[in-house]
Amino acid sequence: MRNYRNPIYIWILLFTVVRLYLVWLLPFDHTGDGWGYACDLLKGDLKNGHHLIFQYFQHFWYQLYILLGGKAARAIELLTSINIIFSGIILLFLVKINRLLIPQITDSAQLVLLGFISLSMSFNRYSFENETYIIPLLLIVVAFLFWLKAIQSQSKLHFLLVIFFCFLAPLFHQTAIWGCLAIFTGSIRFNEKLGFSKGSIISIGLLIVGFWWLVYYLFAAQVYHIQIFALVFQDVISGQVETSWSLKTLVFSTVNFIRTFVEFKGSTVILIKGDKIAQLLVLVVFCLLLLEVRKFFNFKKSTDNTQSNLSKTNMIIWADLNREKSHEGYFTLGIMIILHTAFAVFSQGNHEFMLPLACFIPMYLMRSNRFNFIFKRNTLMILF
């Protein structure tokens, strides 16, 4: 039986409860998109081809909230709370995924890894706002978890759950298709461990695509009264989503990639200039980062010296990371990172589309002993 006094679960509970407290009991400045989705809900305008069923899902919870005596004026707090709760559930599933990727991973490693992910700018922001990205991310994370279980057990039930969540995720937001495609690629690559032939997996993939088109066709014909292609590519046609490759796009993508983990914008410099305490904190963080980079380059790859190097560099002793890891899981996780990064860059460095990277990149880096410099005692201090 799992010990729920474990610091891992206490951290996730605090992450969720503190945010719920802030949203409901303190004044909070929501984004324009957050207000827009709430207003659309109050007006009954639930149509959006880019995230087809997201607002219908919100509408269900809103109607239940009103039925229980809630006030319509606080609809945005309700909708934000849904994202906060689901982001906490994401962290729970990430813990389970890490145990499948590295069976011998310690609770210390899990705790600092969760701290790194949950305090990263992107995850922190979108889990704290009425946006559309947390729910599809949760569905992809759940699909990946069941995929790892299917790989290990060849369970047909687990693979059926993978199919279900992969079908559902892009209906909440189209960008989730990259996570589905990564899982599909991993399934083709490791089909024998799943107990399916390559032909069967390709057929299943085509069947899912067929069901997607059927759902979009029904919505296009019955709800939107437009052609299916106009619905699928609605935001691209309207100009709300722009795509291009250019040097400017690469620069913008690099800045937003940094902002996925640490907030970085022009107003930050202005705020720091006017606050001596903030200047002192920046200096401390900068010195800590220099120390971490120095330790990273001094880290030796020798297996015999791994333990002593870990101690000398003040690292947490995670586990014997040279032991067996889930290579199938890391292969698929790597494909997810590549696809999401490429699409975000193609979408002119869209910061919103980089949210999955805040979860997947730290998890992937745990594969290598050499990158454990990220997950140290100093990590949480730097992030705070």
Side-chain angles (χ1 to χ4, degrees), residues 89-90 93 97 136-148 161-162 165 183:
I89 296 173
I90 288 174
F93 280 118
I97 288 173
L137 175 59
L138 170 62
L139 295 173
I140 289 300
V141 165
V142 173
F144 185 49
L145 172 64
F146 283 118
W147 186 83
L148 289 172
L161 290 170
V162 173
F165 286 110
I183 291 173

Side-chain angles (χ1 to χ4, degrees), residues 64 110 130 142 151-152 212 236 312:
L64 182 61
Q110 290 272 35
N130 180 32
V142 173
I151 283 285
Q152 292 187 1
W212 281 337
V236 177
K312 289 177 182 178

Side-chain angles (χ1 to χ4, degrees), residues 12-26 28 74 77-88 127-128:
I12 294 172
L13 183 63
L14 284 173
F15 174 86
T16 306
V17 172
V18 169
R19 279 159 175 73
L20 289 172
Y21 168 80
L22 292 173
V23 165
W24 284 97
L25 299 179
L26 295 179
F28 193 77
R74 307 212 68 179
E77 283 88 348
L78 168 74
L79 303 177
T80 304
S81 297
I82 294 171
N83 273 348
I84 291 172
I85 292 169
F86 283 155
S87 63
S127 66
F128 213 12

Side-chain angles (χ1 to χ4, degrees), residues 287-334:
C287 291
L288 287 172
L289 285 172
L290 285 179
L291 286 172
E292 299 308 306
V293 170
R294 181 170 173 268
K295 291 172 185 176
F296 169 63
F297 286 109
N298 288 337
F299 186 81
K300 297 179 181 179
K301 290 184 177 180
S302 172
T303 304
D304 296 335
N305 295 329
T306 296
Q307 189 75 9
S308 61
N309 282 325
L310 286 171
S311 300
K312 289 177 182 178
T313 54
N314 197 30
M315 289 186 177
I316 294 175
I317 305 302
W318 308 105
D320 180 7
L321 294 177
N322 290 315
R323 288 170 58 191
E324 184 179 355
K325 304 183 183 104
S326 172
H327 298 291
E328 301 86 1
Y330 280 113
F331 173 85
T332 304
L333 195 60

